[in-house]
Amino acid sequence: MNLLVLIGAPLLTALAVLAARNRQQVRWISLAGSLVQLGLAVALLLAYRHERALQQTAQMLFEQQYPLFKSFNIGFHIGVDGISVAMILLTSFVVVAGVLVSWNVEKMTKEFYFLLLLLGLGAYGFFISLDLFVLFFFLEISVIPKYLLIGIWGSGKKEYSANKLALMLMGGSALILVGMLGLYFYAGNTFDILALSKSTIPGEIQHILFPLLFVGFGVFTALFPLHTWVPDGHSSAPTAGSMFLAGISMKLGGYGCLRIATYLLPEGAKEYATIIIVLSSIAILYGAFATMMQKDLKYINAYSSVSHVGFSLLGIGMLTQTAITGALMQMVSHGVMTALFFAVIGMIYDRTHTRMVADMGGLMKKLPFISTVFFLVGLCSLGLPGLSGFVAEMTVFVGSWENPDTFHRIATIAAAMSIVVTAVYILRAVGRTVMGPVTNPEHLELKDAAWNEKLAAILLLAGILAIGIAPGWLNDLLQPAAEEIMNRIAGK
Amino acid sequence: MNEFFSLMKSELVLTGIIFLLLFIKIGKGVKNETLLPLIQVLLLANFLFGFFLNKQGRLFGDMYYTTSLIVMQKNILNLGVYLISLVCADWLKKTQHLAEFFLLMLSALLGMFFMISSANLLIFYLSLELATIPVAAMANFDLEKKTSAEGAMKMILSSAFSSGILLFGISLIYGTTGSISLPQLGQLLDNSPLQILAFIFFFAAFAFKLSIVPFHLWTADVYEGSPIAVTSFLSVISKGAVAFIFMTMLFRVFQPMAHIWYQLVVVLAIATMVIGNLFALRQQNIKRFLAFSSIAQVGFILVAVSSNDPMGITSVVYFVLVYIFSNLAAFGVAAVITEKTGKENIDDYKGLYKTNPFLSWILALSLFSLAGIPPTAGFFGKLFLITAGSANANYWFIIVVALNLIVSLYYYLRVIRAVFMDKNDNPVEPVTISAPVRLGLLICGAGIVITGMLSWIYDYIYTLK
């Protein structure tokens, strides 16, 4: 399969949207384009499994390489392994759902969809890049769309949030840039990830470069204490924007932390693992407790995202194969789950015009479909077996437990305890809004989900169930890649 | 004779255009409406002709030399002047002395061409003066405005001062080495204290021209007072040309002092970036804002200068090309709005997107490019400057530079926020954009988007070294 189509399809869709003449055309072109992307992602999954079934053992499949800036030895090198395939699949799900839930955006529709598709383009490009420079390019490409999406279509203190998000992510990028240049010069003038993974970088250099890269990518994935853009950014963004930010953008960071920082600088990873574990445990607990205090549904999900994403970082910090597989699963699972969560919150807000838990009640009677989905996604968030959250978090815990010493055990136990807190805030928020009598008389007139919203919700729910009930396929994708990373860490 | 023509081709064509303008002026009776398109066509022809019949060699007993890289630099400057004649067309059409304006501008450009090609301190000094004095006259071109006269005054005084310093430096160099030929000087310098003093004078003079901190104080006032056509010429063409010769001087002539000027360049790069950025944060007037942003951009150019290798030269040439597109797009939008409505404040730009979407997108593109955000070419330009500068593995330097990227993003976002997000009861009314201006802005916009994607442009410049 030619991976260039994964960049080409979103690009063509975005350009077609620009050429569209009215709102109707814009929406349908976007939907068609995003469905094509979904189809391509599924085709990629099948093609990848097919190749692997044929005993194709290369680390990366479908590789392509074109010289780009020859004088800097930068090449447009692309290829996928299991992690990339899973992430691309996640992206395509969220893009389709994002397009669907934005169906009724009336303000500057064309610009909105254009920017949304550009965000997707950046994510696809990021996940297939095997050249640090190209990867950085695609990481940065999403700054403009994010900023404008929040600033123009957002709500609340949107200008503040947009600025904060753009600047903090730019700060992360600045650190990544320095770390990237360090790698480039120490590994003999190459940005190629595969070449870098074979080079030996001296320990003292890794000691400097690892924190730069890990913290840089960590900003994107809400590494404590650099998570502060998350609550503001997510809650101010329009629904599709929040879905993208939490569902995809934060995963870019997690992917970078693992693929770039940990994989390329294993000595650094071993050295700093303790700090990563401490920080991510704090993020998990702090996020959970902070969520308990929130009254706004979007803030609830934003803070709980900080807590949930903490599990992926914890998994990376544990440095065992199972924990890393779990971390990756958590990224995929959280991506689908949180996108659905934000989508449902958006649907509720569109109808009730409030996101305050206290202003709602008994929505089940009037909005049975939306309420049911809300319930399910809440259960997924608190880790109910059968849904994706349980599988991912469980794998992280099992992997963490493989470390026999007290420190790792305590961190694991602390992280596991957060599940109780999660149960408290999720059940409270969902219970208050959905169960009981209708508290607000105005809510008696509400209409349940329209076709586009149902479609989006069902699509993402399917993802959650596919991971929750039959996690084997995802495990098969991620396990070998995690093994590859562990091999390098173990120095094999 | 043949060699004379092919080596000095750029200068000769430019001189031809200058004479043609002179004759047209003497003949009188040509209206601005016909003269301006004629000039634009001439400048376009001049730019295109720059790509043909190129040769390398030396002339006048090693006083003048040219290489393909120098030809490339001249082409880039030609492109910039052509774009200025497009994006500032509205203002140019109204000015009473159109022919004189271009006479001055092209004379300054001619001076820059000689300056880039000079292989001798004498030629260098003469051409530097030729490149400076007409610009001061241009700064005074808004004859009714006091600020314009003030800007011109400041410009000429600071130029004269820096020229004096430069001459002092040149005389010290000549006194200690007995030569004014640049290729020879590279071998003759032995870092005696007097030569180091001479170098400091040299550096200070360049710092004036490039508005490197602490020699930047004239910049904002001159930029604000001058007509936008002049401001854009100053900030793009002048800076570009001086940056080119500055690098040649440091890398070729003062190579024996590399360990000394490395420290200097690093410290001044940081100071220039930080001060430019911090002052840009507080500006209300869009021209002053762009003035300080251009100071900060020079700081980034210095990052690559610190590399002391061919990679640095390539990345600076590339950056100037990108910078021409980005900055001229920003100045072009400011010129249109100032010309039609008289509004110059960033607050006046609030709600611009509602009324002028085309201008808003061009402005957003140019500001994102100046901030170095992909997919714009500014991203590649900045990244290559920093990559070149990090060859010395000076991590703290690079971290400070990277942090400055964040600050600069903050103030560029301020303008973008005003344009796209802020509400305004009294926004700029929809502006009609004349054809040449639209063409100029479109070229700039396309340049911003495409230059980065076409990687062979960079690789081509690299092969020229």
Side-chain angles (χ1 to χ4, degrees):
Chain A
M1 188 173 169
N2 191 335
L3 290 177
L4 285 177
V5 293
L6 281 174
I7 307 175
L11 188 63
L12 282 181
T13 320
L15 292 179
V17 162
L18 276 192
R21 263 171 297 161
N22 55 41
R23 186 157 159 252
Q24 203 63 15
Q25 283 186 1
V26 168
R27 299 194 295 200
W28 285 105
I29 290 174
S30 310
L31 181 60
S34 56
L35 283 174
V36 169
Q37 293 164 31
L38 179 64
L40 288 173
V42 174
L44 175 68
L45 173 70
L46 297 177
Y48 182 85
R49 286 170 66 95
H50 179 70
E51 291 283 322
R52 285 291 185 224
L54 294 174
Q55 303 303 318
Q56 201 32 280
T57 51
Q59 188 191 350
M60 295 289 166
L61 293 185
F62 313 118
E63 268 184 76
Q64 287 183 64
Q65 195 159 15
Y66 307 95
L68 204 57
F69 293 92
K70 279 187 216 125
S71 34
F72 277 114
N73 199 13
I74 294 170
F76 189 75
H77 186 186
I78 53 177
V80 289
D81 66 355
I83 306 176
S84 327
V85 173
M87 293 297 167
I88 288 165
L89 207 58
L90 163 71
T91 309
S92 65
F93 267 72
V94 178
V95 171
V96 176
V99 167
L100 282 170
V101 299
S102 312
W103 207 249
N104 294 322
V105 169
E106 275 169 14
K107 188 178 169 189
M108 301 191 247
T109 318
K110 185 187 277 191
E111 287 88 343
F112 182 86
Y113 276 105
F114 176 73
L115 294 173
L116 207 58
L117 291 162
L118 212 60
L119 264 183
L121 170 73
Y124 288 120
F126 180 87
F127 289 129
I128 60 174
S129 317
L130 289 181
D131 185 280
L132 264 181
F133 184 88
V134 181
L135 182 128
F136 187 67
F137 172 80
F138 281 116
L139 179 73
E140 285 284 273
I141 218 173
S142 57
V143 172
I144 303 178
K146 277 179 202 161
Y147 179 76
L148 292 179
L149 276 175
I150 297 178
I152 299 179
W153 291 273
S155 57
K157 37 178 187 171
K158 53 185 182 176
E159 286 95 358
Y160 167 79
S161 308
N163 253 340
K164 187 171 179 178
L165 173 134
L167 293 173
M168 284 195 74
L169 295 190
M170 189 69 182
S173 307
L175 296 179
I176 297 172
L177 174 64
V178 182
M180 190 175 108
L181 291 174
L183 273 178
Y184 176 76
F185 285 108
Y186 272 102
N189 292 11
T190 178
F191 279 122
D192 193 290
I193 292 177
L194 294 186
L196 286 172
S197 75
K198 289 180 184 73
S199 66
T200 44
I201 297 158
E204 63 270 30
I205 300 299
Q206 297 202 15
H207 182 79
I208 303 172
L209 296 182
F210 182 81
L212 288 171
L213 285 169
F214 198 90
V215 173
F217 281 111
V219 176
F220 283 79
T221 190
L223 174 73
F224 185 87
L226 302 169
H227 64 282
T228 50
W229 64 271
V230 175
D232 290 319
H234 287 182
S235 55
S236 299
T239 303
S242 315
M243 291 166 66
F244 266 71
L245 277 177
I248 306 173
S249 282
M250 288 173 86
K251 309 301 169 285
L252 302 182
Y255 180 88
C257 281
L258 187 63
R259 169 89 83 207
I260 311 300
T262 311
Y263 180 49
L264 296 184
L265 300 164
E267 294 305 317
K270 277 183 225 164
E271 206 167 346
Y272 287 96
T274 325
I275 299 176
I276 299 173
I277 292 171
V278 171
L279 288 181
S280 50
S281 305
I282 294 176
I284 293 169
L285 286 172
Y286 162 82
F289 279 109
T291 317
M292 292 234 291
M293 304 307 296
Q294 302 304 319
K295 300 181 176 72
D296 180 319
L297 281 177
K298 269 198 163 179
Y299 270 100
I300 289 182
N301 195 29
Y303 273 107
S304 93
S305 283
V306 174
S307 167
H308 280 113
V309 168
F311 285 110
S312 355
L313 288 174
L314 182 74
I316 295 173
M318 287 296 174
L319 293 181
T320 67
Q321 191 182 325
T322 321
I324 287 179
T325 313
L328 290 164
M329 280 185 152
Q330 173 71 357
M331 281 186 216
V332 181
S333 148
H334 176 256
V336 186
M337 180 193 85
T338 198
L340 182 55
F341 220 135
F342 276 121
V344 176
I345 294 170
M347 293 174 203
I348 293 177
Y349 177 74
D350 282 345
R351 290 169 173 74
T352 61
H353 303 292
T354 177
R355 295 192 310 238
M356 293 299 157
V357 175
D359 295 347
M360 288 180 261
L363 292 181
M364 186 63 111
K365 297 204 171 58
K366 285 285 132 192
L367 309 171
F369 180 84
I370 294 178
S371 303
T372 314
V373 177
F374 194 37
F375 227 139
L376 281 173
V377 74
L379 293 176
C380 176
S381 177
L382 62 79
L384 191 79
L387 298 171
S388 65
F390 170 76
V391 179
E393 283 166 20
M394 201 61 203
T395 318
V396 173
F397 293 142
V398 171
S400 308
W401 207 252
E402 286 172 9
N403 287 309
D405 59 307
T406 327
F407 169 71
H408 287 89
R409 292 269 150 104
I410 291 175
T412 315
I413 293 169
M417 281 194 320
S418 79
I419 291 183
V420 184
V421 186
T422 311
V424 172
Y425 67 73
I426 287 290
L427 290 177
R428 197 164 63 181
V430 175
R432 284 226 180 128
T433 44
V434 171
M435 313 298 266
V438 181
T439 46
N440 191 335
E442 284 171 19
H443 292 175
L444 287 169
E445 309 299 321
L446 300 179
K447 286 200 175 65
D448 205 2
W451 66 272
N452 54 314
E453 293 168 328
K454 280 187 182 159
L455 202 58
I458 289 171
L459 187 71
L460 292 174
L461 260 186
I464 290 180
L465 289 172
I467 302 170
I469 294 172
W473 64 274
L474 188 60
N475 191 46
D476 290 346
L477 270 183
L478 301 175
Q479 184 85 17
E483 191 180 338
E484 174 72 34
I485 291 171
M486 269 319 291
N487 282 346
R488 179 154 162 86
I489 292 171
K492 277 178 205 164
Chain B
M1 199 60 187
N2 201 3
E3 197 186 28
F4 172 75
F5 279 114
S6 57
L7 288 182
M8 292 195 57
K9 180 201 63 179
S10 318
E11 287 82 358
L12 288 174
V13 173
L14 206 56
T15 318
I17 297 178
I18 292 175
F19 274 110
L20 194 62
L21 283 178
L22 214 53
F23 288 134
I24 291 174
K25 187 61 200 173
I26 294 169
K28 281 191 177 175
V30 183
K31 282 184 183 157
N32 279 0
E33 281 74 25
T34 44
L35 185 55
L36 185 59
L38 176 71
I39 292 174
Q40 283 161 352
V41 171
L42 282 175
L43 289 177
L44 177 63
N46 175 38
F47 165 62
L48 293 177
F49 187 61
F51 289 97
F52 300 103
L53 305 172
N54 287 319
K55 271 192 177 172
Q56 314 203 13
R58 300 173 169 278
L59 275 180
F60 310 131
D62 275 6
M63 281 200 157
Y64 174 99
Y65 78 113
T66 186
T67 64
S68 12
L69 183 65
I70 287 178
V71 172
M72 182 73 196
Q73 293 171 346
K74 288 176 183 169
N75 286 342
I76 291 177
L77 298 180
N78 272 332
L79 174 69
V81 171
Y82 170 61
L83 287 175
I84 289 179
S85 78
L86 288 178
V87 294
C88 298
D90 289 341
W91 179 81
L92 289 170
K93 217 175 258 176
K94 280 190 196 159
T95 178
Q96 288 174 331
H97 308 283
L98 180 64
E100 286 91 333
F101 184 81
F102 274 98
L103 274 177
L104 290 170
M105 189 177 235
L106 296 182
S107 306
L109 186 65
L110 186 65
M112 288 166 196
F113 282 6
F114 273 111
M115 180 169 78
I116 301 174
S117 275
S118 60
N120 185 296
L121 285 178
L122 213 55
I123 293 279
F124 166 69
Y125 177 72
L126 283 175
S127 51
L128 185 72
E129 289 299 280
L130 180 56
T132 313
I133 294 172
V135 182
M138 282 155 69
N140 196 15
F141 237 71
D142 265 346
L143 293 173
E144 291 91 38
K145 271 198 199 160
K146 248 187 193 170
T147 48
S148 184
E150 183 197 334
M153 203 65 196
K154 279 186 177 156
M155 166 106 202
I156 194 78
L157 284 178
S158 61
S159 304
F161 185 51
S162 71
S163 298
I165 294 178
L166 181 67
L167 263 186
F168 197 5
I170 291 178
S171 58
L172 284 179
I173 294 267
Y174 181 62
T176 50
T177 61
S179 169
I180 49 170
S181 154
L182 295 185
Q184 285 178 14
L185 280 176
Q187 276 107 50
L188 288 173
L189 290 178
D190 52 9
N191 292 358
S192 66
L194 213 50
Q195 283 173 2
I196 292 176
L197 185 65
F199 167 71
I200 300 289
F201 283 148
F202 249 89
F203 199 97
F206 275 114
F208 259 115
K209 307 282 178 204
L210 281 172
S211 49
I212 294 169
V213 171
F215 303 100
H216 65 289
L217 294 162
W218 61 276
T219 318
D221 290 339
V222 174
Y223 279 25
E224 189 187 5
S226 316
I228 288 193
V230 182
T231 311
S232 37
F233 183 80
L234 266 174
S235 81
V236 180
I237 314 291
S238 270
K239 283 238 171 100
V242 178
F244 294 151
I245 184 72
F246 181 52
M247 301 198 60
T248 320
M249 284 283 179
L250 287 186
F251 290 10
R252 300 260 160 75
V253 181
F254 292 106
Q255 190 59 40
M257 296 184 188
H259 59 286
I260 300 173
W261 63 251
Y262 175 72
Q263 313 279 347
L264 200 60
V265 168
V266 166
V267 171
L268 289 186
I270 291 176
T272 307
M273 261 184 277
V274 171
I275 303 255
N277 279 337
L278 290 184
F279 277 82
L281 286 175
R282 313 275 318 155
Q283 299 308 317
Q284 267 306 317
N285 180 296
I286 188 91
K287 278 153 90 182
R288 280 186 89 86
F289 169 80
L290 287 171
F292 280 107
S293 110
S294 83
I295 292 178
Q297 303 282 350
V298 169
F300 284 101
I301 290 183
L302 286 184
V303 175
V305 173
S306 79
S307 72
N308 192 18
D309 74 357
M311 203 71 115
I313 296 186
T314 316
S315 57
V316 168
V317 174
Y318 181 77
F319 182 78
V320 170
L321 173 67
V322 173
Y323 184 61
I324 281 181
F325 288 128
S326 323
N327 228 17
L328 287 185
F331 274 121
V333 172
V336 171
I337 290 172
T338 312
E339 191 55 36
K340 297 278 159 85
T341 66
K343 291 178 175 174
E344 277 192 358
N345 274 345
I346 293 176
D347 281 343
D348 297 329
Y349 282 62
K350 284 182 179 170
L352 185 70
Y353 185 67
K354 293 260 159 48
T355 50
N356 294 291
F358 174 72
L359 289 180
S360 305
W361 278 120
I362 294 285
L363 186 62
L365 263 184
S366 68
L367 293 178
F368 277 125
S369 181
L370 289 173
I373 306 286
T376 61
F379 169 78
F380 297 96
K382 281 254 168 78
L383 211 55
F384 293 154
L385 288 182
I386 296 176
T387 309
S390 57
N392 290 317
N394 190 344
Y395 283 109
W396 289 113
F397 179 40
I398 299 307
I399 289 178
V400 174
V401 173
L403 290 180
N404 267 287
L405 281 175
I406 310 171
V407 183
S408 70
L409 178 66
Y410 177 76
Y411 60 76
Y412 290 122
L413 284 183
R414 219 182 98 215
V415 180
I416 290 171
R417 172 175 159 179
V419 170
F420 283 91
M421 295 165 201
D422 287 345
K423 291 191 177 60
N424 191 351
D425 299 329
N426 182 22
V428 176
E429 57 264 35
V431 173
T432 47
I433 307 164
S434 59
V437 178
R438 187 175 287 269
L439 175 67
L441 291 178
L442 280 176
I443 295 177
C444 290
I448 292 172
V449 177
I450 294 172
T451 314
M453 304 288 176
L454 300 177
S455 57
W456 56 264
I457 295 180
Y458 185 89
D459 289 329
Y460 174 69
I461 299 176
Y462 187 73
T463 55
L464 297 178
K465 72 170 192 311

